[in-house]
Amino acid sequence: MKSVFKSPLSLTVLASCLLSVGAIAAPANDPATLAQIRDSAMKSDWAYERLADLTDLVGPRLSGSAGAAAAVEQVAAAMRKLGAKVTLQPVKVPHWVRGAETAELVDYNGRPAGITQKIVLTALGGSGATPAAGLTAPVLVVRSLDELKAKAAQVKGSIVLVDVPFDQELADRGHAGAAYGPGAGFRYVGPKMAAELGAAAALVRSVGGANFRIPHTGVTGLVDGARIPAAAITTEDVLLLDRLLARGPVKMHLTLTPQNLPDADSFNVIADWPGSDKADEVVIVSGHLDSWDLGTGAHDDGTGVAGAMGVIETLKKLNLHPRRTIRVIAWMNEENGTRGGKAYFDANKDKLDKHFAAIESDSGGGRPFGFIGSVTPPMVKYFAPLKDALAPIGAGQFERHDIAGAADTSPMERAGVPVFEPMVDSSAYFNYHHTPADTLDKVSPLELKRHVAVMTSLSWFLANMEQPIGRTAHQDSED
Amino acid sequence: MKSVFKSPLSLTVLASCLLSVGAIAAPANDPATLAQIRDSAMKSDWAYERLADLTDLVGPRLSGSAGAAAAVEQVAAAMRKLGAKVTLQPVKVPHWVRGAETAELVDYNGRPAGITQKIVLTALGGSGATPAAGLTAPVLVVRSLDELKAKAAQVKGSIVLVDVPFDQELADRGHAGAAYGPGAGFRYVGPKMAAELGAAAALVRSVGGANFRIPHTGVTGLVDGARIPAAAITTEDVLLLDRLLARGPVKMHLTLTPQNLPDADSFNVIADWPGSDKADEVVIVSGHLDSWDLGTGAHDDGTGVAGAMGVIETLKKLNLHPRRTIRVIAWMNEENGTRGGKAYFDANKDKLDKHFAAIESDSGGGRPFGFIGSVTPPMVKYFAPLKDALAPIGAGQFERHDIAGAADTSPMERAGVPVFEPMVDSSAYFNYHHTPADTLDKVSPLELKRHVAVMTSLSWFLANMEQPIGRTAHQDSED
């Protein structure tokens, strides 16, 4: 032994051999390996650099745009550079392009001659267009879909505002998703219902916190044949409308000229880090690559994509190879169609039994506290080593949900594949989400390191689990 | 006595007589009257209703605009309705009109083919125009005027960004003015100096807190003959430029099409609440009526105007008539020329000895803590009764400054007239100031009541002071 330690070179060689041997021979989910993964992720800037490439060099990445195409190339190239096996899975995506968007109140009680009041808004995904010169109609505010239906006679020919406030207080208490849900639901359904009732246009209150007169975009359920102009207006402008409507009728002039173009060709980026003895089984770790066009999609969902990419970078650096294949996916079209998730599901319908689990991160890059997963209750106890490994960075919580619920993985989840997500602080996420302010400076490099630590540890743990994880509790309970 | 109290009607009559007599006969600054003023203001919604009229019905009020003209009429009408003696003082104002404003980064290292990055900006007051199709030039960032001068050779033909960050931490510690000063100074001087050095255009970092990718406008010192396009870009976009410039040279395509039109006719609105035995002496209480065009000027300076208007409403309701005349002024053109303040000064140069004091509120509608004033140190003690009267609403502080410094009253102040301002919490003021988000919902109705209580108590106190207040400490020390 003594002679071996004489030379620093020999020492390095030995250590390197031990590491390689250790990676293959040690129990896959031993505490030392999990600690090594966590600590390596906490020291790496690589994922943040990829996030900067994505947001600074490419920027917005709405499905069908040049940005989305450039993002596909950029992520695929970075994954190939790490040595991952990259596949581009073709996906036909909706191709909606924003146009002019202006609005002003042209008549209201007490309006001085020559005055109009500007309304700040942004078109919603799938919005139809007004004539190029705009349209003018009375504004009708409703606060529920029931009220919308009950006022059908007034809806016809009106600009209907569906006013459902975002509950920031609920978000602050840790229930950001619950705060977002009602408004997002109305945003999807409200314009469609207003269109069916003959509205001239539909507006929704921006679904998000932080009132700095920025509109939050999002997708609608509008379809050809009943496609009316639809936009999100800022909270401030909703309040202005409420006050002016208390003085009497209000008329708005609205101009929205987006285009709904034929479906475009795009791709899911799939990068495999091959497994060893169970290489035919797959653990997906993913985020969505497309983003809304107003900001640069840093939190939504640049952090998810960069976090998933960071999994392979971490494992490669540590020369770690899992038993099951770890499959990084950068999904296309989560925002306005979920076509990427559907295309993957359709192509893998017959191989779902080989999908051990799927992770998707799409709640922003806030501080991670742990992870959630839609496993059956008896499975929870097997995650103790993973919780222990993540506890030192404050990310050791595991919440079991019946449905984890990220959009792209949900078809698999409904078919029984257990789905996981990092559990993060999303209390400020909806301040930026779907707005021009979703930019790189909002993402903490430190939290992104924690994010990669959680994503990599969880992927590794699942890919090496001895215990068969089984299917989700709610399998077959839905379509 | 007994018979008098038999009927409720008689009681009312008696109380009313006593009140009238009291208002005239009691010592003008007795604690009871000051308490009555304070308590009445704290119960009145009148000023908030006027602020709502101004912001909701008129909206933006940039000098020379239809909004500014409508605001003059609206405020004059409200003051006449109270029985004040209203004069419209003609003021010739700059007439600058915002046009198109877009920018994108069209070349940078690492740019994928077909990609440009959008920059969010807004033209600054006095900005010149680019060609209608825009101009393209390299971006040069400088962080001081010295650096701007030192890089004169590079400045020529460039789009120069003067990057001076707003110090929110300083604002949070109660020094919002000091946080705002450096950036605002560079905003005024930087574009002018860049123009003289041959820059293609000038950009400044938005001067304000809260990063939600909203640009903060403001005035420049640009003049005819060297008028280049000038805009404020958001903090997020400054950071993006910094990161891209670290990768290599950056080119921007910039389109700004504002117009600098001939000076327009406008007015200061002057509303006198006449004094009694010293009616020829004047105490001014004021705010500025013009506002930037992006928001509705609720904090800047709707609260100042509504607060000043509330002085007369409060005194009228209490049937209080001061010894000196209280003169409410809604100044025109504080934002981009201060022509209203100058016009008043020029017209009153010979009567400054009859200007006992001048109050201007222009730091937003945040919580008032008291008031500041540019009196000489020996005068401070005489304000004790006023401090005592305002202490119960948390507004009993008096800070003596050598220069109080609101813009419209500063010519008078430099000539020796003591100037006062409410002392308010401005820590959040610069989050909204000069942005689209300066809207009514940001103003607390309760704080506006406190504001009126301070403005009215201070006006009344000054208008009835026995002690000659004298001139400011720094009289004649400046031009």
Side-chain angles (χ1 to χ4, degrees):
Chain A
M1 290 290 285
K2 205 178 167 191
S3 66
V4 173
F5 288 100
K6 261 183 186 159
S7 137
L9 179 63
S10 302
L11 183 60
T12 308
V13 169
L14 175 69
S16 160
C17 290
L18 286 170
L19 192 65
S20 291
V21 171
I24 292 163
N29 284 330
D30 66 322
T33 306
L34 289 168
Q36 205 180 18
I37 288 171
R38 177 199 66 213
D39 293 346
S40 179
M42 289 303 293
K43 277 186 282 197
S44 174
D45 294 319
W46 188 89
Y48 189 81
E49 287 162 6
R50 297 296 75 69
L51 181 62
D53 287 349
L54 198 58
T55 55
D56 286 352
L57 301 182
V58 173
R61 308 175 291 281
L62 190 58
S63 292
S65 68
V72 165
E73 286 193 29
Q74 191 188 74
V75 170
M79 292 285 88
R80 281 192 199 105
K81 201 170 165 188
L82 290 179
K85 194 188 144 212
V86 174
T87 317
L88 299 185
Q89 180 187 15
V91 183
K92 279 276 183 193
V93 294
H95 191 185
W96 179 85
V97 179
R98 190 175 300 283
E101 35 195 42
T102 61
E104 52 279 329
L105 305 182
V106 294
D107 204 12
Y108 49 88
N109 277 357
R111 184 178 66 91
I115 298 297
T116 61
Q117 279 274 31
K118 184 179 176 181
I119 294 292
V120 178
L121 47 61
T122 197
L124 294 170
S127 166
T130 63
L135 61 82
T136 302
V139 177
L140 173 70
V141 178
V142 298
R143 291 185 169 75
S144 69
L145 295 181
D146 283 345
E147 190 181 351
L148 181 62
K149 277 181 258 178
K151 292 191 172 162
Q154 288 169 263
V155 167
K156 203 173 159 59
S158 292
I159 295 173
V160 177
L161 167 62
V162 183
D163 175 13
V164 178
F166 179 81
D167 189 344
Q168 183 61 49
E169 194 263 339
L170 194 59
D172 289 339
R173 281 192 284 115
H175 307 290
Y180 177 66
F186 281 100
R187 185 174 62 202
Y188 191 81
V189 179
K192 186 167 185 285
M193 194 177 286
E196 288 160 2
L197 294 172
L203 305 175
V204 300
R205 183 174 181 145
S206 284
V207 188
N211 297 332
F212 287 90
R213 216 170 177 198
I214 48 171
H216 299 232
T217 192
V219 71
T220 65
L222 288 166
V223 289
D224 280 340
R227 202 182 285 280
I228 57 173
I233 72 174
T234 75
T235 300
E236 285 89 342
D237 292 278
V238 171
L239 299 175
L240 171 64
L241 274 169
D242 282 346
R243 294 191 301 266
L244 289 180
L245 283 164
R247 295 178 188 250
V250 174
K251 272 190 189 163
M252 181 185 288
H253 182 72
L254 174 69
T255 307
L256 297 174
T257 62
Q259 297 173 72
N260 288 276
L261 301 174
D263 283 358
D265 290 318
S266 191
F267 304 93
N268 289 327
V269 182
I270 301 177
D272 281 356
W273 192 244
S276 52
D277 62 313
K278 297 192 174 187
D280 62 328
E281 295 184 25
V282 171
V283 171
I284 289 172
V285 57
S286 64
H288 67 83
L289 189 51
D290 63 308
S291 77
W292 277 107
D293 56 334
L294 300 173
T296 60
H299 275 290
D300 186 14
D301 182 27
T303 54
V305 170
M309 294 169 78
V311 171
I312 295 189
E313 197 268 337
T314 307
L315 297 182
K316 179 189 166 75
K317 191 183 280 166
L318 296 171
N319 192 26
L320 286 173
H321 296 275
R323 297 183 65 191
R324 298 181 182 89
T325 293
I326 291 181
R327 175 167 293 171
V328 168
I329 305 185
W331 305 103
M332 183 51 62
N333 188 231
E334 190 273 347
E335 293 295 2
N336 57 338
T338 339
R339 299 276 185 88
K342 288 171 189 159
Y344 184 88
F345 179 79
D346 289 344
N348 289 277
K349 260 183 191 155
D350 302 336
K351 303 170 213 157
L352 291 181
D353 59 330
K354 295 293 185 189
H355 282 69
F356 189 78
I359 306 165
E360 180 168 8
S361 166
D362 187 20
S363 296
R367 177 159 187 155
F369 300 130
F371 51 96
I372 66 175
S374 56
V375 295
T376 55
M379 288 303 301
V380 171
K381 61 179 173 296
Y382 296 105
F383 287 84
L386 178 60
K387 291 170 64 179
D388 290 347
L390 291 170
I393 58 165
Q397 295 181 51
F398 177 26
E399 273 186 16
R400 196 201 67 80
H401 292 188
D402 279 345
I403 302 172
D408 301 293
T409 49
S410 68
M412 284 186 274
E413 187 172 40
R414 284 197 295 270
V417 177
V419 163
F420 293 80
E421 289 183 83
M423 177 165 56
V424 303
D425 177 3
S426 294
S427 57
Y429 177 57
F430 292 104
N431 293 353
Y432 305 116
H433 169 268
H434 295 195
T435 79
D438 184 5
T439 49
L440 182 64
D441 52 292
K442 308 306 186 313
V443 177
S444 154
L446 173 62
E447 299 313 337
L448 189 60
K449 287 175 183 172
R450 283 203 178 90
H451 204 84
V452 174
V454 171
M455 299 274 270
T456 311
S457 303
L458 178 57
S459 305
W460 175 258
F461 189 85
L462 290 164
N464 293 294
M465 249 179 133
E466 291 293 337
Q467 183 67 35
I469 196 170
R471 303 286 88 180
T472 59
H474 69 105
Q475 186 184 6
D476 300 326
S477 68
E478 300 189 44
D479 61 326
Chain B
M1 288 290 284
K2 205 181 167 191
S3 66
V4 173
F5 288 99
K6 259 184 190 163
S7 137
L9 179 64
S10 302
L11 183 59
T12 308
V13 170
L14 177 68
S16 156
C17 290
L18 286 170
L19 192 67
S20 293
V21 171
I24 292 161
N29 283 331
D30 67 321
T33 305
L34 289 168
Q36 203 179 19
I37 288 171
R38 177 199 67 215
D39 293 346
S40 179
M42 290 302 293
K43 278 185 282 193
S44 175
D45 294 318
W46 189 88
Y48 190 81
E49 287 162 5
R50 298 295 74 71
L51 181 62
D53 287 349
L54 198 58
T55 55
D56 286 352
L57 302 182
V58 173
R61 308 174 292 281
L62 189 59
S63 292
S65 68
V72 165
E73 284 191 31
Q74 190 190 74
V75 170
M79 292 284 89
R80 281 191 200 106
K81 202 170 163 188
L82 290 179
K85 194 187 145 212
V86 174
T87 318
L88 299 185
Q89 181 188 16
V91 182
K92 278 277 183 193
V93 294
H95 191 187
W96 180 84
V97 179
R98 190 175 300 282
E101 36 195 42
T102 62
E104 52 278 332
L105 305 182
V106 293
D107 204 12
Y108 49 89
N109 277 358
R111 183 178 67 91
I115 298 297
T116 61
Q117 279 273 33
K118 184 179 175 182
I119 294 293
V120 178
L121 47 60
T122 196
L124 294 170
S127 166
T130 64
L135 61 82
T136 302
V139 176
L140 173 70
V141 177
V142 298
R143 291 185 167 77
S144 68
L145 295 181
D146 284 345
E147 190 182 352
L148 181 63
K149 276 181 258 176
K151 292 190 171 161
Q154 288 168 263
V155 167
K156 201 170 161 63
S158 293
I159 295 174
V160 178
L161 167 61
V162 183
D163 175 12
V164 178
F166 179 81
D167 188 344
Q168 183 62 49
E169 194 263 340
L170 195 60
D172 289 339
R173 283 192 283 115
H175 307 289
Y180 178 66
F186 280 100
R187 185 173 64 202
Y188 191 82
V189 179
K192 186 168 185 284
M193 194 176 285
E196 288 161 0
L197 294 172
L203 304 176
V204 300
R205 182 175 182 145
S206 284
V207 188
N211 297 334
F212 287 89
R213 216 169 176 199
I214 48 171
H216 298 232
T217 192
V219 71
T220 65
L222 288 166
V223 290
D224 281 340
R227 202 183 285 280
I228 57 174
I233 73 175
T234 74
T235 300
E236 285 88 343
D237 292 279
V238 171
L239 300 175
L240 172 65
L241 274 169
D242 283 346
R243 293 191 302 266
L244 289 180
L245 283 164
R247 293 179 189 250
V250 174
K251 272 190 186 161
M252 180 184 288
H253 183 72
L254 175 69
T255 307
L256 297 174
T257 61
Q259 298 172 72
N260 287 275
L261 302 173
D263 284 358
D265 291 317
S266 191
F267 304 93
N268 289 327
V269 181
I270 300 176
D272 281 356
W273 192 244
S276 52
D277 61 314
K278 296 189 173 187
D280 62 328
E281 294 185 27
V282 172
V283 171
I284 290 171
V285 57
S286 64
H288 68 82
L289 189 51
D290 63 308
S291 78
W292 277 107
D293 56 334
L294 300 174
T296 60
H299 274 291
D300 187 13
D301 183 27
T303 53
V305 169
M309 292 169 79
V311 171
I312 295 188
E313 197 267 340
T314 308
L315 297 182
K316 180 189 166 74
K317 192 183 280 166
L318 296 171
N319 193 25
L320 286 174
H321 295 276
R323 296 183 67 190
R324 298 181 183 88
T325 293
I326 291 180
R327 175 167 293 171
V328 168
I329 306 184
W331 305 102
M332 182 51 61
N333 188 230
E334 189 273 347
E335 292 294 3
N336 58 339
T338 340
R339 299 276 184 87
K342 287 170 189 159
Y344 184 88
F345 180 78
D346 289 343
N348 288 277
K349 261 182 189 154
D350 302 337
K351 301 172 213 158
L352 292 181
D353 58 330
K354 295 294 183 188
H355 283 70
F356 190 78
I359 306 165
E360 181 169 9
S361 166
D362 187 21
S363 297
R367 178 159 184 153
F369 299 131
F371 50 97
I372 66 175
S374 57
V375 295
T376 55
M379 287 303 301
V380 172
K381 60 179 176 291
Y382 297 106
F383 287 83
L386 178 60
K387 291 170 64 178
D388 291 346
L390 290 171
I393 58 165
Q397 295 182 50
F398 177 26
E399 273 186 15
R400 195 201 69 81
H401 292 186
D402 280 344
I403 301 172
D408 301 292
T409 48
S410 69
M412 282 186 275
E413 188 173 38
R414 285 197 295 271
V417 177
V419 163
F420 292 80
E421 289 184 83
M423 178 165 56
V424 303
D425 177 2
S426 294
S427 56
Y429 177 57
F430 292 104
N431 293 353
Y432 306 116
H433 168 268
H434 296 195
T435 79
D438 184 6
T439 49
L440 182 63
D441 53 292
K442 308 305 186 312
V443 177
S444 155
L446 173 61
E447 299 313 339
L448 190 60
K449 287 175 183 172
R450 282 202 178 92
H451 205 84
V452 174
V454 170
M455 298 275 270
T456 312
S457 302
L458 179 56
S459 305
W460 175 258
F461 189 85
L462 289 165
N464 293 294
M465 250 179 131
E466 290 293 335
Q467 185 67 33
I469 197 170
R471 302 285 89 180
T472 59
H474 68 105
Q475 185 183 7
D476 299 328
S477 69
E478 299 188 43
D479 62 324

